[in-house]
């Protein structure tokens, strides 16, 4: 008997809470009749009492009060379907545009190598090169420390003051934000989509790039000397020589 009484009490409390949540709040001088005249649709609370004519898909007749248990709700109708359709179309157009933009940022010669020259003692640059290597399954990008490839920088006319990344693609080279974003375009999906930042005007992009580059040592730190790559990452470097790797060690008689 006690359990039955408690069940009834909880049922009444739950019903009261749902009825209160279904009541339309009045604000200022706006009356309940205004909601009906403006054509807002309503749906009933499942546990609240409903007046005749109030259904899930029909608006109650004008003159119904807020105590009828009908709450303001948007119907799932033509407008909702059109909204979903617009979202679907816009999303697909954005994806198509991003794909086309990424493809434009990649070199025309799909077999051409891309050399990314970075500051070998900068922790930020080193982290970026590892990120690129980890998300470049096709191994499009090769790496090199600028400190050991100054001859390349001088030959192509790129800065030699370690102030910027340098991306070399065939006869063209890119610096600052363009180098970073064009490198991102070479990565696997979905990481390649980050290169759409190229649509930002270059003066703004390069201003932010130079600001970060100017303070990169203070924020991210630096190494005393260029790090020596190891493992598979070593094979991604410009000066990697697989033949030298297989030469036997004259002391131990084993390959290095």
């Amino acid at each position: 008997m006690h359990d039955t009484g408690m069940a009834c009490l909880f049922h009444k409390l739950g019903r009261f809470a749902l009825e209160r949540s279904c009541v339309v709040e009045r604000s200022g001088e706006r009356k309940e009749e205004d909601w009906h005249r403006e054509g807002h649709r309503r749906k009933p609370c499942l546990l609240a009492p409903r007046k005749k004519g109030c259904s899930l898909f029909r608006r109650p007749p004008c003159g119904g009060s807020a105590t009828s248990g009908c709450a303001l709700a948007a119907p799932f109708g033509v407008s909702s379907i059109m909204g979903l359709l617009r979202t679907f179309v816009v999303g697909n157009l954005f994806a198509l545009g991003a794909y086309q933009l990424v493809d434009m940022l990649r070199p025309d010669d799909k077999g051409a190598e891309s050399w990314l020259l970075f500051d070998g003692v900068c922790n930020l640059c080193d982290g970026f090169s590892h990120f690129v290597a980890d998300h470049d399954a096709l191994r499009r990008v090769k790496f090199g420390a600028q400190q050991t490839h100054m001859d390349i920088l001088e030959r192509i006319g790129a800065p030699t003051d370690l102030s910027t990344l340098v991306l070399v693609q065939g006869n063209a080279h890119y610096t600052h934000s363009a180098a970073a974003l064009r490198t991102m375009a070479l990565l696997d999906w979905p990481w390649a989509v980050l290169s759409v930042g190229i649509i930002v005007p270059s003066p703004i992009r390069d201003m932010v790039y130079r600001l970060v580059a100017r303070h990169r040592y203070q924020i991210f730190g630096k190494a005393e000397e260029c790090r020596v790559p190891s493992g598979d990452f070593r094979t991604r470097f410009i000066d990697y020589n697989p033949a030298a790797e297989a030469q036997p060690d004259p002391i131990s008689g084993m390959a290095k």
Side-chain angles (χ1 to χ4, degrees):
M1 181 65 70
H2 181 267
D3 294 340
T4 304
M6 290 297 294
C8 291
L9 177 60
F10 282 121
H11 177 74
K12 290 180 179 179
L13 288 174
R15 182 166 177 168
F16 174 76
L18 286 172
E19 288 178 356
R20 294 292 298 172
S21 66
C22 292
V23 174
V24 178
E25 295 182 357
R26 297 184 179 183
S27 58
E29 298 180 358
R30 202 168 200 181
K31 304 299 182 180
E32 176 65 19
E33 290 75 16
D34 296 337
W35 294 101
H36 292 282
R37 284 197 297 270
E38 290 176 8
H40 291 280
R41 296 182 178 271
R42 302 171 175 278
K43 72 175 183 180
C45 174
L46 296 180
L47 295 181
R50 297 195 297 268
K51 284 192 173 184
K52 185 177 181 181
C54 179
S55 65
L56 286 172
F57 302 100
R58 289 188 302 171
R59 189 176 59 197
C62 292
S65 64
T67 57
S68 63
C70 297
L72 188 65
F76 187 78
V78 176
S79 60
S80 299
I81 295 175
M82 292 301 296
L84 292 174
L85 183 60
R86 281 195 298 269
T87 303
F88 176 78
V89 172
V90 171
N92 278 273
L93 288 176
F94 174 80
L96 179 61
Y99 179 83
Q100 294 292 336
L101 181 59
V102 169
D103 192 60
M104 289 172 57
L105 293 176
R106 292 173 176 174
D108 295 333
D109 183 5
K110 302 303 180 183
E113 288 186 348
S114 297
W115 293 359
L116 181 64
L117 303 177
F118 61 95
D119 180 1
V121 299
C122 170
N123 290 341
L124 175 62
C125 303
D126 185 67
F128 179 71
S129 64
H130 277 83
F131 176 83
V132 172
D134 291 341
H135 299 92
D136 178 24
L138 296 180
R139 303 172 73 91
R140 295 187 179 101
V141 183
K142 287 191 173 182
F143 306 93
Q146 293 183 12
Q147 287 87 339
T148 58
H149 294 289
M150 284 294 176
D151 57 326
I152 297 178
L153 298 178
E154 293 172 354
R155 190 165 71 247
I156 64 177
T160 58
D161 58 354
L162 307 178
S163 63
T164 174
L165 290 171
V166 178
L167 178 66
V168 182
Q169 292 179 326
N171 295 325
H173 74 276
Y174 306 93
T175 61
H176 299 95
S177 62
L181 292 172
R182 285 181 175 271
T183 301
M184 298 299 290
L186 298 171
L187 302 185
D188 309 324
W189 291 92
W191 301 108
V193 78
L194 296 175
S195 63
V196 300
I198 200 77
I199 64 176
V200 177
S202 58
I204 299 176
R205 289 189 279 109
D206 289 342
M207 179 183 66
V208 176
Y209 183 96
R210 288 188 174 94
L211 179 63
V212 175
R214 190 179 304 119
H215 301 284
R216 68 186 187 278
Y217 292 155
Q218 293 89 338
I219 299 174
F220 301 98
K222 61 180 293 188
E224 294 297 328
E225 57 184 13
C226 293
R227 295 175 178 82
V228 178
S230 60
D232 183 66
F233 187 50
R234 178 172 51 182
T235 66
R236 304 287 300 272
F237 275 68
I238 300 169
D239 51 4
Y240 173 71
N241 185 1
E245 287 284 311
Q247 289 181 356
D249 188 326
I251 297 177
S252 63
M254 299 178 64
K256 295 181 181 178

